Amino acid sequence: MIAVTGIEELNNLRRKLKGPTGFVPTMGFLHEGHLSLVREARKHNQTVIVSIFVNPAQFGPSEDFQTYPKDIKHDLEILRKEGVDIVFTPSSEEMYPEDYSTWIEVAGLTEKLEGASRPGHFKGVATIVLKLLNITRPDVVYFGQKDAQQAIVIKHLVRDLNVPVNVIVMPTIRQPDGLALSSRNYYLSKEENEAATIIYKSLRLASKLYQNGERSPVKIKQAMTELIRSEPLVTIDDISIALPENLEELDIVNGQALVSLAVWIGKTRLIDNIIL
Ligand code: AMP
């Protein structure tokens, strides 16, 4: 495994690679969710590139950029064990030089859901992903369904800008009690981690109601809200039931629907989703 920090160095390496290349962009502090993407990339490509970069541009001024968990030594160890070929750990200074001024906006999609709670977040995400795709030039790039809106935004960006890459979205990996794995779970106390299981319970409730014939997003959201309110450590930030293609909120569920949830537990914001 080669660890590379410089963009030019990665470009030079990339030029020499032959055969299909799979790429997994991450912010590090890796868990089994990330590794599921890495393993899928390993299965289908000759070369696997993983990036670790906590992208300042996708954090709001009052968000957790400064405190975002890091353990680069451990990350490199587990990526080596997974048979990754290249780990790219660029510096903020090189990614965003002082006069940096080009930004990608996927209009419409990025103001909804997460974008409404985190203005500017997807501008940062779309920009860094396009930059990383330009640098690594993979055949396939892997994302997690855990960040459903991110995956939708990236698919749209890739289509709109004719980026020659195949986007694969992999299922959400969860703890045995249902809580979706996230680097931010590290912020939670044991008690908060237990309380956070209400997130997936409420998504499962939505699924059960739907299976029993409920088609009203208002009623499904009401039931989810009531369940989450039974857990005093958890506060709802947003519940949405929307069309997976364009994130338009639904008046009635009569086809696929993306149920997304964002909650606060103390100072930690967690998201999860399921498709009905
Ligand atoms: P992050 O490091 O949080 O930016 O995540 C890097 C990639 O891993 C993104 O494509 C995420 O959607 C994906 N990911 C994060 N958590 C999970 C999970 N629990 N299951 C599957 N993929 C995940």
mmCIF file of all heavy atoms in Angstrom, residues 2 13 29 41 59 61 71 78 113 131 133 140 146 157 165 167 171 187 197 212 216 227 236-237 240 242 244 255 264:
data_model
loop_
_atom_site.group_PDB
_atom_site.id
_atom_site.type_symbol
_atom_site.label_atom_id
_atom_site.label_comp_id
_atom_site.label_asym_id
_atom_site.label_seq_id
_atom_site.Cartn_x
_atom_site.Cartn_y
_atom_site.Cartn_z
ATOM 1 N N ILE A 2 0.518 2.198 -0.852
ATOM 2 C CA ILE A 2 1.286 3.440 -0.910
ATOM 3 C C ILE A 2 0.419 4.566 -0.342
ATOM 4 O O ILE A 2 -0.757 4.696 -0.727
ATOM 5 C CB ILE A 2 1.653 3.798 -2.372
ATOM 6 C CG1 ILE A 2 2.303 2.598 -3.085
ATOM 7 C CG2 ILE A 2 2.569 5.010 -2.425
ATOM 8 C CD1 ILE A 2 2.526 2.828 -4.560
ATOM 9 N N LEU A 13 1.326 8.639 -10.223
ATOM 10 C CA LEU A 13 1.013 7.231 -9.952
ATOM 11 C C LEU A 13 -0.151 6.764 -10.825
ATOM 12 O O LEU A 13 -0.138 5.693 -11.414
ATOM 13 C CB LEU A 13 0.573 7.082 -8.499
ATOM 14 C CG LEU A 13 1.573 6.608 -7.472
ATOM 15 C CD1 LEU A 13 0.913 6.610 -6.104
ATOM 16 C CD2 LEU A 13 2.050 5.198 -7.811
ATOM 17 N N PHE A 29 -11.402 8.013 10.127
ATOM 18 C CA PHE A 29 -11.949 7.410 11.348
ATOM 19 C C PHE A 29 -12.845 6.233 10.933
ATOM 20 O O PHE A 29 -14.037 6.180 11.221
ATOM 21 C CB PHE A 29 -12.717 8.435 12.191
ATOM 22 C CG PHE A 29 -12.711 8.085 13.655
ATOM 23 C CD1 PHE A 29 -11.539 8.180 14.390
ATOM 24 C CD2 PHE A 29 -13.851 7.643 14.299
ATOM 25 C CE1 PHE A 29 -11.508 7.838 15.736
ATOM 26 C CE2 PHE A 29 -13.824 7.305 15.647
ATOM 27 C CZ PHE A 29 -12.649 7.407 16.360
ATOM 28 N N ALA A 41 -15.053 -2.425 -3.621
ATOM 29 C CA ALA A 41 -14.084 -1.903 -4.599
ATOM 30 C C ALA A 41 -12.989 -2.947 -4.859
ATOM 31 O O ALA A 41 -12.593 -3.170 -6.003
ATOM 32 C CB ALA A 41 -13.473 -0.603 -4.081
ATOM 33 N N PHE A 59 -18.281 21.823 6.071
ATOM 34 C CA PHE A 59 -18.707 22.067 7.453
ATOM 35 C C PHE A 59 -19.144 23.524 7.593
ATOM 36 O O PHE A 59 -18.444 24.420 7.102
ATOM 37 C CB PHE A 59 -17.550 21.828 8.429
ATOM 38 C CG PHE A 59 -17.179 20.376 8.602
ATOM 39 C CD1 PHE A 59 -16.427 19.714 7.646
ATOM 40 C CD2 PHE A 59 -17.589 19.670 9.735
ATOM 41 C CE1 PHE A 59 -16.073 18.381 7.812
ATOM 42 C CE2 PHE A 59 -17.245 18.332 9.902
ATOM 43 C CZ PHE A 59 -16.491 17.686 8.935
ATOM 44 N N PRO A 61 -19.890 27.024 9.910
ATOM 45 C CA PRO A 61 -19.031 27.667 10.915
ATOM 46 C C PRO A 61 -19.269 27.135 12.337
ATOM 47 O O PRO A 61 -18.350 27.118 13.150
ATOM 48 C CB PRO A 61 -19.392 29.159 10.812
ATOM 49 C CG PRO A 61 -20.566 29.247 9.884
ATOM 50 C CD PRO A 61 -20.688 27.963 9.142
ATOM 51 N N ASP A 71 -7.994 9.245 13.392
ATOM 52 C CA ASP A 71 -7.004 8.260 13.836
ATOM 53 C C ASP A 71 -6.325 7.701 12.588
ATOM 54 O O ASP A 71 -6.597 6.583 12.160
ATOM 55 C CB ASP A 71 -7.669 7.147 14.662
ATOM 56 C CG ASP A 71 -6.634 6.268 15.351
ATOM 57 O OD1 ASP A 71 -5.439 6.371 14.998
ATOM 58 O OD2 ASP A 71 -7.017 5.485 16.232
ATOM 59 N N ILE A 78 -5.792 -0.509 8.947
ATOM 60 C CA ILE A 78 -6.894 -1.367 8.480
ATOM 61 C C ILE A 78 -7.011 -1.336 6.949
ATOM 62 O O ILE A 78 -7.337 -2.342 6.350
ATOM 63 C CB ILE A 78 -8.254 -1.090 9.159
ATOM 64 C CG1 ILE A 78 -8.641 0.365 9.148
ATOM 65 C CG2 ILE A 78 -8.282 -1.575 10.581
ATOM 66 C CD1 ILE A 78 -9.960 0.603 9.866
ATOM 67 N N LEU A 113 -33.706 18.775 2.406
ATOM 68 C CA LEU A 113 -33.255 17.896 3.504
ATOM 69 C C LEU A 113 -32.019 18.418 4.237
ATOM 70 O O LEU A 113 -32.051 19.448 4.863
ATOM 71 C CB LEU A 113 -32.954 16.481 2.957
ATOM 72 C CG LEU A 113 -34.070 15.733 2.250
ATOM 73 C CD1 LEU A 113 -33.584 14.341 1.849
ATOM 74 C CD2 LEU A 113 -35.245 15.598 3.158
ATOM 75 N N LYS A 131 -13.347 17.282 -7.365
ATOM 76 C CA LYS A 131 -11.884 17.450 -7.327
ATOM 77 C C LYS A 131 -11.206 16.085 -7.155
ATOM 78 O O LYS A 131 -10.251 15.763 -7.875
ATOM 79 C CB LYS A 131 -11.484 18.386 -6.168
ATOM 80 C CG LYS A 131 -11.691 19.868 -6.480
ATOM 81 C CD LYS A 131 -11.581 20.740 -5.228
ATOM 82 C CE LYS A 131 -10.178 20.844 -4.678
ATOM 83 N NZ LYS A 131 -9.237 21.579 -5.546
ATOM 84 N N LEU A 133 -12.396 13.152 -7.874
ATOM 85 C CA LEU A 133 -12.582 12.327 -9.080
ATOM 86 C C LEU A 133 -11.617 12.769 -10.180
ATOM 87 O O LEU A 133 -11.076 11.946 -10.921
ATOM 88 C CB LEU A 133 -14.032 12.408 -9.577
ATOM 89 C CG LEU A 133 -15.080 11.699 -8.704
ATOM 90 C CD1 LEU A 133 -16.490 11.976 -9.232
ATOM 91 C CD2 LEU A 133 -14.839 10.198 -8.617
ATOM 92 N N VAL A 140 -14.777 3.413 -11.225
ATOM 93 C CA VAL A 140 -15.952 3.258 -10.353
ATOM 94 C C VAL A 140 -15.687 3.991 -9.044
ATOM 95 O O VAL A 140 -14.581 3.920 -8.500
ATOM 96 C CB VAL A 140 -16.201 1.757 -10.025
ATOM 97 C CG1 VAL A 140 -17.585 1.579 -9.397
ATOM 98 C CG2 VAL A 140 -16.064 0.883 -11.255
ATOM 99 N N LYS A 146 -26.198 5.314 3.497
ATOM 100 C CA LYS A 146 -26.345 6.042 4.772
ATOM 101 C C LYS A 146 -26.483 7.547 4.512
ATOM 102 O O LYS A 146 -27.277 8.228 5.147
ATOM 103 C CB LYS A 146 -25.116 5.735 5.633
ATOM 104 C CG LYS A 146 -24.725 6.738 6.647
ATOM 105 C CD LYS A 146 -25.448 6.492 7.924
ATOM 106 C CE LYS A 146 -24.990 7.381 9.055
ATOM 107 N NZ LYS A 146 -24.287 8.582 8.701
ATOM 108 N N LEU A 157 -24.544 15.151 -10.336
ATOM 109 C CA LEU A 157 -23.350 15.892 -10.741
ATOM 110 C C LEU A 157 -22.594 15.131 -11.843
ATOM 111 O O LEU A 157 -22.181 15.718 -12.854
ATOM 112 C CB LEU A 157 -22.469 16.068 -9.501
ATOM 113 C CG LEU A 157 -20.966 16.253 -9.672
ATOM 114 C CD1 LEU A 157 -20.666 17.691 -10.020
ATOM 115 C CD2 LEU A 157 -20.206 15.876 -8.426
ATOM 116 N N VAL A 165 -17.369 8.202 -14.850
ATOM 117 C CA VAL A 165 -17.208 7.290 -13.711
ATOM 118 C C VAL A 165 -18.555 6.626 -13.437
ATOM 119 O O VAL A 165 -19.614 7.226 -13.649
ATOM 120 C CB VAL A 165 -16.695 8.055 -12.464
ATOM 121 C CG1 VAL A 165 -17.752 8.999 -11.901
ATOM 122 C CG2 VAL A 165 -16.225 7.094 -11.373
ATOM 123 N N VAL A 167 -21.064 5.297 -10.662
ATOM 124 C CA VAL A 167 -21.308 5.532 -9.230
ATOM 125 C C VAL A 167 -22.074 4.344 -8.644
ATOM 126 O O VAL A 167 -23.166 4.017 -9.111
ATOM 127 C CB VAL A 167 -22.137 6.822 -9.018
ATOM 128 C CG1 VAL A 167 -22.398 7.050 -7.530
ATOM 129 C CG2 VAL A 167 -21.440 8.020 -9.638
ATOM 130 N N PRO A 171 -25.352 -0.579 0.575
ATOM 131 C CA PRO A 171 -26.300 -0.508 1.701
ATOM 132 C C PRO A 171 -25.657 -0.020 3.006
ATOM 133 O O PRO A 171 -24.440 -0.126 3.187
ATOM 134 C CB PRO A 171 -26.779 -1.956 1.878
ATOM 135 C CG PRO A 171 -26.137 -2.776 0.836
ATOM 136 C CD PRO A 171 -25.199 -1.931 0.043
ATOM 137 N N TYR A 187 -18.801 10.389 19.260
ATOM 138 C CA TYR A 187 -19.118 11.472 20.198
ATOM 139 C C TYR A 187 -20.093 11.018 21.293
ATOM 140 O O TYR A 187 -20.257 11.702 22.291
ATOM 141 C CB TYR A 187 -19.817 12.627 19.474
ATOM 142 C CG TYR A 187 -19.023 13.345 18.407
ATOM 143 C CD1 TYR A 187 -19.632 13.678 17.197
ATOM 144 C CD2 TYR A 187 -17.708 13.736 18.615
ATOM 145 C CE1 TYR A 187 -18.945 14.374 16.208
ATOM 146 C CE2 TYR A 187 -17.018 14.433 17.634
ATOM 147 C CZ TYR A 187 -17.645 14.747 16.439
ATOM 148 O OH TYR A 187 -16.975 15.442 15.472
ATOM 149 N N THR A 197 -30.606 4.319 19.231
ATOM 150 C CA THR A 197 -31.231 3.197 18.511
ATOM 151 C C THR A 197 -32.678 3.518 18.137
ATOM 152 O O THR A 197 -33.268 2.861 17.298
ATOM 153 C CB THR A 197 -31.188 1.884 19.331
ATOM 154 O OG1 THR A 197 -31.883 2.107 20.554
ATOM 155 C CG2 THR A 197 -29.766 1.460 19.608
ATOM 156 N N ASN A 212 -48.407 -2.179 6.281
ATOM 157 C CA ASN A 212 -49.798 -2.393 6.714
ATOM 158 C C ASN A 212 -50.790 -1.533 5.946
ATOM 159 O O ASN A 212 -51.957 -1.462 6.290
ATOM 160 C CB ASN A 212 -49.940 -2.131 8.213
ATOM 161 C CG ASN A 212 -49.208 -3.184 9.025
ATOM 162 O OD1 ASN A 212 -48.850 -4.235 8.510
ATOM 163 N ND2 ASN A 212 -48.952 -2.890 10.290
ATOM 164 N N SER A 216 -50.089 7.726 3.967
ATOM 165 C CA SER A 216 -50.015 9.162 4.230
ATOM 166 C C SER A 216 -48.683 9.522 4.903
ATOM 167 O O SER A 216 -48.423 9.106 6.042
ATOM 168 C CB SER A 216 -51.170 9.576 5.138
ATOM 169 O OG SER A 216 -50.837 10.764 5.819
ATOM 170 N N LEU A 227 -42.879 8.241 18.539
ATOM 171 C CA LEU A 227 -41.936 7.229 19.039
ATOM 172 C C LEU A 227 -40.633 7.899 19.486
ATOM 173 O O LEU A 227 -40.124 7.621 20.573
ATOM 174 C CB LEU A 227 -41.647 6.184 17.945
ATOM 175 C CG LEU A 227 -40.672 5.090 18.370
ATOM 176 C CD1 LEU A 227 -41.274 4.231 19.490
ATOM 177 C CD2 LEU A 227 -40.301 4.183 17.201
ATOM 178 N N ILE A 236 -35.710 15.647 17.345
ATOM 179 C CA ILE A 236 -35.813 15.560 15.884
ATOM 180 C C ILE A 236 -35.356 16.872 15.246
ATOM 181 O O ILE A 236 -35.780 17.951 15.657
ATOM 182 C CB ILE A 236 -37.271 15.277 15.464
ATOM 183 C CG1 ILE A 236 -37.705 13.925 16.021
ATOM 184 C CG2 ILE A 236 -37.411 15.304 13.946
ATOM 185 C CD1 ILE A 236 -39.191 13.645 15.868
ATOM 186 N N ASP A 237 -34.496 16.772 14.236
ATOM 187 C CA ASP A 237 -34.150 17.952 13.436
ATOM 188 C C ASP A 237 -35.031 17.972 12.194
ATOM 189 O O ASP A 237 -35.589 19.003 11.836
ATOM 190 C CB ASP A 237 -32.664 17.904 13.055
ATOM 191 C CG ASP A 237 -32.222 19.157 12.324
ATOM 192 O OD1 ASP A 237 -32.767 20.236 12.629
ATOM 193 O OD2 ASP A 237 -31.360 19.067 11.438
ATOM 194 N N SER A 240 -38.295 13.463 6.670
ATOM 195 C CA SER A 240 -38.765 13.713 5.311
ATOM 196 C C SER A 240 -39.193 12.396 4.668
ATOM 197 O O SER A 240 -38.571 11.354 4.896
ATOM 198 C CB SER A 240 -37.622 14.351 4.513
ATOM 199 O OG SER A 240 -37.678 13.951 3.160
ATOM 200 N N ALA A 242 -39.796 11.489 0.805
ATOM 201 C CA ALA A 242 -39.628 12.164 -0.488
ATOM 202 C C ALA A 242 -39.363 11.160 -1.603
ATOM 203 O O ALA A 242 -39.008 10.004 -1.344
ATOM 204 C CB ALA A 242 -38.469 13.151 -0.390
ATOM 205 N N PRO A 244 -37.170 9.386 -4.134
ATOM 206 C CA PRO A 244 -35.718 9.178 -4.111
ATOM 207 C C PRO A 244 -34.992 9.853 -5.275
ATOM 208 O O PRO A 244 -33.830 10.205 -5.142
ATOM 209 C CB PRO A 244 -35.561 7.662 -4.205
ATOM 210 C CG PRO A 244 -36.887 7.089 -3.879
ATOM 211 C CD PRO A 244 -37.909 8.127 -4.195
ATOM 212 N N GLY A 255 -45.358 4.522 -4.558
ATOM 213 C CA GLY A 255 -44.192 4.095 -5.324
ATOM 214 C C GLY A 255 -43.053 4.147 -4.332
ATOM 215 O O GLY A 255 -43.304 4.190 -3.118
ATOM 216 N N TRP A 264 -30.822 15.291 16.724
ATOM 217 C CA TRP A 264 -29.752 15.750 17.618
ATOM 218 C C TRP A 264 -29.745 14.883 18.857
ATOM 219 O O TRP A 264 -30.804 14.609 19.423
ATOM 220 C CB TRP A 264 -29.991 17.205 18.046
ATOM 221 C CG TRP A 264 -29.688 18.198 16.984
ATOM 222 C CD1 TRP A 264 -30.589 18.828 16.171
ATOM 223 C CD2 TRP A 264 -28.397 18.695 16.618
ATOM 224 N NE1 TRP A 264 -29.943 19.683 15.311
ATOM 225 C CE2 TRP A 264 -28.586 19.618 15.569
ATOM 226 C CE3 TRP A 264 -27.090 18.443 17.068
ATOM 227 C CZ2 TRP A 264 -27.538 20.300 14.967
ATOM 228 C CZ3 TRP A 264 -26.039 19.113 16.460
ATOM 229 C CH2 TRP A 264 -26.264 20.032 15.427
#
